[in-house]
Amino acid sequence: MAVDVQAPIGGPSSSAWQPRIVAFCCNWCSYAGADLAGTSRISYPATVRIIRVPCSGRVNPRLVLRALLNGADAVLVAGCHPGDCHYGTGNYFARRRLAVAGRLLEYMGFAAERLQVTWISGSEGPQFADTIRQLTDRVAALGPNRGPGETVR
Amino acid sequence: MKPLFADLGPAAAGLAQLELEVRTLASQALAQGRAAVVIGHRAAWSGWQAVPHFARTPVEAAQLVVGPACGAGLAKYLLDELPGLTADAPAVVVARGCDLMGVRRLVADHRVDADLVKVLAIPCVGRYDARKVGTAAGAAVAGRPGAFLADACLACRYRWPEDIAATDGQAVGLDLTALRQLLPGAPAVAAEGEGAFAAQGEIAAIAAMSPAARMDYWSNWFAQCIRCYACRSACPACHCEVCVLDSLAPAWLPRSTDLPQQFMFQFIRGMDVAGRCVGCGQCENACPAGIPLTQLWAKTAADIGELFGVTNPFLPGTDEPLGVFDPRDPEPSGPDRP
C-alpha cells in the first residue's frame, strides 16, 4: 500500500490516514544519521516524529507503551551499533530490555511490528531513510493502532 | 469454629501435627530470646481464613496456625519488622515455599540483610480459594481432598522444603506421607527456582490467539482492575522505597482507571519486576478482582529464560538477567528476531 507522503495526515478512520511513527534516536549515532539523511536531501516519509535521547539505553520500555497508547502506530528505537555505544554499554542493556518489552507488548495484544529496534550509525543517512521507509510500509499494511479501548489521541 | 482441616482427608492429621511443632519451636525461640518476632498466620473470624500473625511472646506463638487457610504471603512484612531485628534476635518466618522464595528475593536485592532473617520452612498443600468455597462447583467435589484449593497452588512446585533446598533455618522433621498423598498427580519434586506456578498450558493458549483476541482477553481482565496495588504490596520483588506509581511529578501513571492506563500500570509493574520474579504467585493471590497475573509473569520469565539462556529465571542470583548483557544477545526485532 503506497503512502502519499504529501497528503495531510488524518486520524485512524480518515481516508488520508498515514502511520504515525515515534522514533527514539540516540544523540550520537542514529540522530546524527537522521540528520545526515536530511542534509543529504534524501527523501523519506514524513510519518516519523524523532525524539532525541542521549542513548538508546535511556529508553524506558514504558515510554514505548506510552507512545502507543497516545496515538503512535509504531515506535522505532534507534541506537548505535552494538559495540559502538558512545557510553560503552547502553545499547546492550537496551537490546535486552526491549527484547523482553517487545514480547510482553506482543503478548498483551499489540502487533509485534509496532516496536522496532534498529542500530544506525552517524554515517548511515541512507540506512535511516530506508528504515523509515520500510517501517512506514509495514505499519501502513498493518493499519492504525487501535490500542485497548478508545485510545486517547 | 469450623475445623480448619476437615476437608483435607488423611492430610489433616499431618497438618495438625505440623502446627503443633511450629508452635513449639516458635515459643522456644521467643522464650530464649533467639528470635525477635515469629511471622506466620493465626486463625481469624472464619475457618477459611488465617491472617498474618506477628508473635513476639510464647503466648502469641501459641496462636500460630498452618494449613490451607493461610493465604497472604509473609516475606514483605520483613520490611516493616526491620527496625527491630538484630543478628542475635532475627525474624523467623514460618515459610511456605512461596514465602521462602520471597525472602530469598528480598535478601538477594540487599533489601533485607541475610543475618536478620531465619526461615522455618514448612511444606504446603496450597491455600483456599475463596471463589471456590461455597460455589456449586465446589460443592460437587467437596468430598475430594483439595477441592477448594487455588489453581495456582495446585500447580505449585515449591510445595516441599527439602526439595527446594530450604534454608538457613530449621527443617521440621515429621512424617509427611499423608500430606504428599493429598493431591494425586501433583509434582512431588520441584527443581529449585523452577517457579511456583505452571501456567504453561494457559500461556500457550493465549500466545496462540490473534493479536486482536489477545488484546480483548487482557482488556476484559484489566477492566476489572481497581488499581488497589495489592499485587504491588504482595510482590517480594516490588520493594522500592519510593515507587514510580506513587509519583505525581512526573505523573508516570495518571490516576484514571480507563483501559489504556490499566495496560500502562500492568506493563510498568511487569517490566520493573522482569527478571526478578520468583514465581511465588502472591500477586494473583492478593488481587481482589481475580486477575490471572501469573499468566503474565510466567510468560515474561519464560521469555527471559529463552532469550538469554537463563536456566531458572525464577531463581534469585547475584546478577539479574536485565542487569547484565551478552554481546551476542538476540536482536529484539528484524529478521534475526527470535
Side-chain angles (χ1 to χ4, degrees):
Chain A
M1 172 179 158
V3 176
D4 179 0
V5 301
Q6 304 302 325
I9 297 172
S13 53
S14 156
S15 58
W17 169 76
Q18 289 183 56
R20 276 197 281 200
I21 299 167
V22 171
F24 294 96
C25 293
C26 79
N27 176 75
W28 304 99
C29 278
S30 48
Y31 190 85
D35 195 54
L36 182 59
T39 55
S40 307
R41 299 289 181 258
I42 302 173
S43 182
Y44 60 85
T47 51
V48 60
R49 285 100 174 95
I50 295 175
I51 299 174
R52 183 174 64 111
V53 292
C55 177
S56 53
R58 186 266 176 269
V59 179
N60 193 316
R62 68 182 73 133
L63 293 174
V64 173
L65 178 59
R66 196 180 170 98
L68 290 171
L69 293 174
N70 280 278
D73 297 301
V75 176
L76 170 70
V77 178
C80 307
H81 287 271
D84 296 341
C85 176
H86 179 83
Y87 302 101
T89 56
N91 55 359
Y92 284 132
F93 290 108
R95 185 162 62 172
R96 277 218 168 186
R97 196 183 298 147
L98 293 170
V100 177
R103 288 227 178 167
L104 181 55
L105 286 171
E106 193 182 358
Y107 189 63
M108 283 186 171
F110 294 90
E113 293 85 352
R114 298 201 188 274
L115 168 61
Q116 178 168 322
V117 180
T118 304
W119 314 114
I120 301 170
S121 86
S123 59
E124 291 182 322
Q127 285 83 346
F128 181 85
D130 282 343
T131 300
I132 300 299
R133 205 171 293 121
Q134 287 160 17
L135 182 56
T136 299
D137 288 343
R138 260 199 296 276
V139 175
L142 264 182
N145 171 28
R146 299 263 168 222
E150 286 299 315
T151 304
V152 174
R153 296 213 178 235
Chain B
M1 183 183 298
K2 177 188 174 67
L4 286 179
F5 310 136
D7 63 311
L8 295 174
L15 277 175
Q17 191 183 2
L18 177 68
E19 186 172 280
L20 206 51
E21 282 287 323
V22 166
R23 288 177 179 178
T24 307
L25 287 165
S27 291
Q28 286 171 356
L30 289 166
Q32 294 160 11
R34 288 186 289 112
V37 61
V38 177
I39 305 174
H41 294 88
R42 72 168 185 276
W45 47 88
S46 79
W48 300 104
Q49 289 178 301
V51 298
H53 182 50
F54 306 87
R56 302 177 205 279
T57 67
V59 169
E60 289 175 351
Q63 295 177 285
L64 288 166
V65 300
V66 301
C70 300
L74 299 175
K76 290 294 285 293
Y77 292 110
L78 284 169
L79 300 182
D80 299 320
E81 294 292 326
L82 268 179
L85 304 179
T86 64
D88 293 323
V92 173
V93 181
V94 182
R96 303 158 293 176
C98 48
D99 301 315
L100 170 65
M101 294 306 286
V103 171
R104 281 225 166 114
R105 168 47 62 200
L106 289 171
V107 170
D109 286 352
H110 304 286
R111 194 71 170 81
V112 171
D113 204 348
D115 294 338
L116 301 180
V117 58
K118 292 228 177 295
V119 171
L120 177 55
I122 61 171
C124 178
V125 302
R127 64 169 175 91
Y128 287 134
D129 184 344
R131 293 172 199 96
K132 290 187 177 182
V133 173
T135 63
V141 294
R144 181 170 67 81
F148 301 127
L149 299 178
D151 290 334
C153 294
L154 291 173
C156 179
R157 296 173 187 273
Y158 291 153
R159 196 167 289 132
W160 307 106
E162 61 269 29
D163 295 328
I164 55 174
T167 94
D168 51 351
Q170 301 158 302
V172 183
L174 296 172
D175 177 12
L176 299 168
T177 314
L179 278 175
R180 287 183 183 271
Q181 289 166 355
L182 173 68
L183 299 166
V189 175
E192 185 169 352
E194 221 181 18
F197 36 83
Q200 298 309 317
E202 299 161 11
I203 289 171
I206 296 167
M209 297 178 189
S210 69
R214 277 201 290 272
M215 185 160 282
D216 278 343
Y217 179 81
W218 291 115
S219 294
N220 287 333
W221 273 120
F222 292 163
Q224 311 299 318
C225 174
I226 57 173
R227 300 273 285 283
C228 66
Y229 298 151
C231 51
R232 175 186 70 171
S233 298
C235 173
C238 258
H239 52 71
C240 287
E241 295 186 16
V242 180
C243 175
V244 66
L245 300 172
D246 295 330
S247 168
L248 289 175
W252 281 109
L253 190 66
R255 294 299 183 265
S256 58
T257 54
D258 53 305
L259 207 47
Q261 303 312 327
Q262 306 296 57
F263 271 77
M264 194 66 171
F265 162 58
Q266 300 290 347
F267 183 83
I268 286 177
R269 219 182 73 73
M271 283 307 301
D272 281 0
V273 171
R276 301 169 49 244
C277 171
V278 291
C280 70
Q282 289 298 335
C283 50
E284 183 168 310
N285 177 19
C287 177
I291 299 170
L293 295 167
T294 56
Q295 288 174 1
L296 279 166
W297 312 139
K299 169 66 163 64
T300 304
D303 283 341
I304 286 171
E306 179 197 331
L307 285 168
F308 311 127
V310 180
T311 325
N312 292 316
F314 292 114
L315 188 64
T318 47
D319 294 316
E320 307 161 10
L322 291 187
V324 296
F325 62 84
D326 187 315
R328 295 156 301 176
D329 277 336
E331 289 299 321
S333 56
D336 299 323
R337 175 176 173 267

